[in-house]
Every structure is written in C-alpha cells, then in structure tokens.
Amino acid sequence: MTDMVYGAAPVQGGEPILPKWWRTLDKWSISCVLILFGIGLLLALAASVPLAEKNGFEQFHYVKRQAAFGFMALAAMLLTSMMSPLLVRRLSVVGFVIAFIALAMLPFFGTDFGKGAMRWYSLGFASVQPSEFLKPGFVVVAAWMMAASKEINGPPGMRLSFFMAVIIVLMLAMQPDFGQACLVLFGWGVMYFVAGAPILLLVLIAGVVVFAGSLAYSNSEHFARRIDGFLSPDVDPNTQLGFATNAIREGGFFGVGVGEGSVKWSLPDAHTDFIIAVAAEEYGLILVLAIIVLYTSIVVRSLSRLMRERDPFIRLAGTGLVAMFGVQAMINMGVAVRLLPAKGMTLPFVSYGGSSLIATGIAVGMLFAFTRSRPQGEINDILRARPR
C-alpha cells in the first residue's frame, strides 16, 4: 500500500564507474606519470628541434607528434586502468597473440630504417614496433600461467611460461634487439621468483644467460661492438656515448640554461635514447634527480600495494609490469652515464616514440588496474583470520 501511495523506492545500483575508479586508484602514482609526461614534452621542445630542421620539417614537428602520441598513451592508460583484472587478462591474451604474430612476421614485412635491426613495420605516416606491445601482453599471460599452475590439477604453467619466454627472447635476439630480449627475460625472472621458484634454478638460468651472451659476443658484430665500446677505458668523444657523457659533465648541478645545450645538435638520438643527457645538460642534476624520484615513487608504491594483494595472478602480473617499467627507465639512464652498454631503449613517458609511448601507457594502465584497492583483496585479511 505504501508503494502504491508514495511510489516504490528506487533500486540502488552499484557505485558508478568513475567515482569508484577515482576512489580506488593510486593517485600519487598517476600524478607522477602525468609529471613525467610533462617533462617529456618540455625536453622534446629542446631536443627535437635540431632533428626537425635536419629532416626538413618545421621546428616543432616532433614535439607535436610526441604530444599526439602522448595523449593517445594517456587515454589508453586511463581507459585500461578502469578495467577489471579479468577484462585486462582477456584483452591481454588477444593483444599478445596479435603482437606475437606481428613479431614473427617482421623478417618478411618489416624494415630497419637503416639502423641495422629489423624491428619496425612502416605505415608511411608512422611506424609500429611490435615488441613494445608484446611486453605487457606477455607479462599478463605468463602471470596467468604461473598462477594457474598453483591450483589443484592445474596446467604446467611455470614450464609453459618459460618456453614462451625463450621463444620470444630468441625472436628478439634475431632482429637483433638484445635490450628488449633482456627486458622480457628479466620480467619473466622476477615473476618466476615471486611465484616461488627455487634459487638454484634461477642461478642456473642466469648461467645460461651468461653463456648465451658469450655466444652472441662471438657471433654478432652488432653485439660485440656495443660491449667493446662499453668496456673500453677511453670514450670516443665523437660517438653518442661520448657526446652524452660530455653533456652530463657540462650540465653540472644547475645546468647550462634552457635552450643553451649543445648536445642536441650532435646526438642523432637525443630525443629518444639519450633524452636524459639533454635534461642533464640544460637543467642539471636537479631535474635528473627529480625524474629518478618520480620513477622510484611509481615502482615503490606499486610494489607496496601488490604486497597486500591476495590474488596470485594480480600479484604476479603487477610485479612483472612494474619490474619492466622500472628497469627500462634504469637501463636508459644507465646507458647515458656508461653504467650499462648501449641498448637502444627509450625512457618511459619521456622519450619520443609512438609505439613506446602508447605501449607504456597500456602497460601502466594495466598496473593501475591491478593495484586499485579492492574489498577483501589484501593478504593481511587471511593472516589476521588464522587461528593462533
């Protein structure tokens, strides 16, 4: 009777997607990503103008392209971060299969753009690097296999993920792209360790990697040249490493001033692989330390959230994604200061590159989806409930 007089009470649905997403998201980490993107545009204004003039484009050609690719990457990151872990896993399987096929077809339809490595598909108006999109998909698929292997009567997911990693590493090494191959193997190794792999097995795998590196050094002129350049006590001032080292030294603590740097006129990859050298020369150690703090904050906060996660798949996939993200940044900056041999790897969200920016946006979006707060999703709930 009350319903007839006053009307039925409205049915309360679930919490709207946007408020729920904002409430459960790691706001500090996404703020760090947005700041990194802003720094990338700032450095692009300095680093890409000489290249645009050299190639006959207007001054801010590459800046505009980086802004366009960057906003696409941010849109992909935000959209992916709103998804449920189940939807992320399903789409990752589809994306991984497509990227794997594209990687396998590179020797037949790919191009090297004169750089000696068959890594890209040329679309005329842009290029696509399949390995960039393969990495996040591989991490999620491998984590799914590892988590499934822990279930009763589950598949041999640990072994399957290992064979899959080996195949991908071999395909990347044949391009050759040893940097991405090492990154994929490192990401898989971190997940394998977190999943409970024996230490002796990891040591054995490390020994196999060292042996494979020795073979590559003996049989690949490209690989040997980079290792020899890294081990040489003297740096040729006319090489990319020489220019980058001198730029970092000239920058000092406060830099030489905005627009006053000279390394961008000498380095062909100043806007991609050696963007940190431009930052160090014009803005000094202060900006470099700020960039390091931003990357460290994302990694540490993500890992701290994943440590409280109950679902093994989410824990493994998130750990693999954040490990790849952090190590890629470390490798890029390590190469510029000669802590590591040259790898041809971009600085996430800062370096120019369409495939790298968009793929990184997708990967970080997956990470944010996995690290969102979920009710009863923390492993501490189980530990508190255990009888003493």
Side-chain angles (χ1 to χ4, degrees):
M1 182 64 70
T2 304
D3 290 346
M4 294 175 62
V5 176
Y6 297 102
V11 177
Q12 297 294 330
E15 186 178 2
I17 293 178
L18 286 178
K20 181 180 180 180
W21 168 77
W22 182 249
R23 178 176 57 81
T24 58
L25 185 68
D26 184 0
K27 302 173 187 62
W28 181 264
S29 292
I30 199 170
S31 299
C32 291
V33 168
L34 295 176
I35 295 173
L36 285 171
F37 175 62
I39 292 174
L41 288 179
L42 177 67
L43 295 178
L45 288 169
S48 62
V49 171
L51 182 66
E53 293 182 356
K54 178 182 177 181
N55 293 336
F57 298 118
E58 56 98 7
Q59 282 190 334
F60 300 111
H61 172 78
Y62 291 106
V63 179
K64 294 176 181 177
R65 286 174 64 89
Q66 180 163 352
F69 288 134
F71 283 117
M72 291 171 62
L74 293 179
M77 179 188 73
L78 295 176
L79 181 62
T80 307
S81 67
M82 296 179 187
M83 298 179 183
S84 66
L86 179 61
L87 181 57
V88 170
R89 188 178 71 189
R90 289 174 175 173
L91 293 179
S92 296
V93 172
V94 176
F96 170 75
V97 172
I98 295 173
F100 184 85
I101 294 174
L103 186 68
M105 299 303 291
L106 269 178
F108 307 101
F109 303 104
T111 181
D112 62 356
F113 290 110
K115 295 186 177 182
M118 195 75 68
R119 302 177 185 176
W120 300 272
Y121 286 105
S122 177
L123 305 179
F125 61 92
S127 61
V128 177
Q129 188 175 353
S131 61
E132 293 285 356
F133 297 93
L134 182 76
K135 292 184 296 185
F138 164 73
V139 167
V140 174
V141 172
W144 184 25
M145 290 181 176
M146 291 181 185
S149 68
K150 301 298 182 181
E151 299 176 359
I152 299 175
N153 297 323
M158 304 287 276
R159 289 195 296 272
L160 290 175
S161 67
F162 172 70
F163 291 134
M164 187 168 61
V166 170
I167 292 172
I168 293 172
V169 167
L170 291 176
M171 292 170 65
L172 291 171
M174 289 173 61
Q175 291 182 358
D177 191 349
F178 296 106
Q180 298 286 10
C182 292
L183 199 58
V184 167
L185 193 59
F186 176 81
W188 174 86
V190 169
M191 289 190 295
Y192 202 55
F193 175 77
V194 173
I199 296 296
L200 289 179
L201 180 59
L202 293 175
V203 172
L204 177 62
I205 293 175
V208 172
V209 170
V210 172
F211 177 73
S214 300
L215 289 179
Y217 180 83
S218 303
N219 297 282
S220 172
E221 182 181 351
H222 173 82
F223 186 80
R225 185 170 61 252
R226 292 197 169 188
I227 296 297
D228 290 340
F230 170 68
L231 295 177
S232 175
D234 300 319
V235 181
D236 186 346
N238 296 318
T239 62
Q240 293 200 92
L241 282 176
F243 288 128
T245 302
N246 183 66
I248 294 172
R249 185 185 304 113
E250 292 293 328
F253 197 80
F254 296 103
V256 298
V258 180
E260 299 298 324
S262 60
V263 70
K264 58 194 176 187
W265 297 97
S266 306
L267 274 174
D269 293 328
H271 63 313
T272 54
D273 299 352
F274 291 93
I275 191 73
I276 199 68
V278 177
E281 184 181 32
E282 297 200 359
Y283 298 91
L285 181 63
I286 292 179
L287 181 61
V288 175
L289 290 177
I291 293 173
I292 294 173
V293 169
L294 291 170
Y295 284 117
T296 304
S297 298
I298 296 172
V299 172
V300 172
R301 287 188 63 86
S302 298
L303 289 176
S304 66
R305 285 183 165 232
L306 290 167
M307 287 176 63
R308 301 192 299 266
E309 179 58 51
R310 177 185 298 177
D311 190 324
F313 161 70
I314 295 176
R315 194 163 59 248
L316 290 172
T319 301
L321 289 170
V322 75
M324 278 194 176
F325 177 81
V327 168
Q328 181 169 337
M330 185 181 71
I331 289 175
N332 177 278
M333 291 184 281
V335 167
V337 295
R338 289 202 71 203
L339 289 176
L340 295 169
K343 289 286 192 301
M345 200 169 291
T346 58
L347 190 61
F349 290 114
V350 177
S351 295
Y352 172 85
S355 296
S356 175
L357 274 170
I358 296 174
T360 302
I362 294 173
V364 174
M366 292 177 177
L367 176 63
F368 288 161
F370 291 142
T371 55
R372 283 169 54 188
S373 302
R374 275 174 290 276
Q376 299 180 353
E378 297 185 357
I379 197 170
N380 291 337
D381 297 337
I382 301 176
L383 298 177
R384 293 194 196 101
R386 285 182 179 177
R388 295 182 182 274

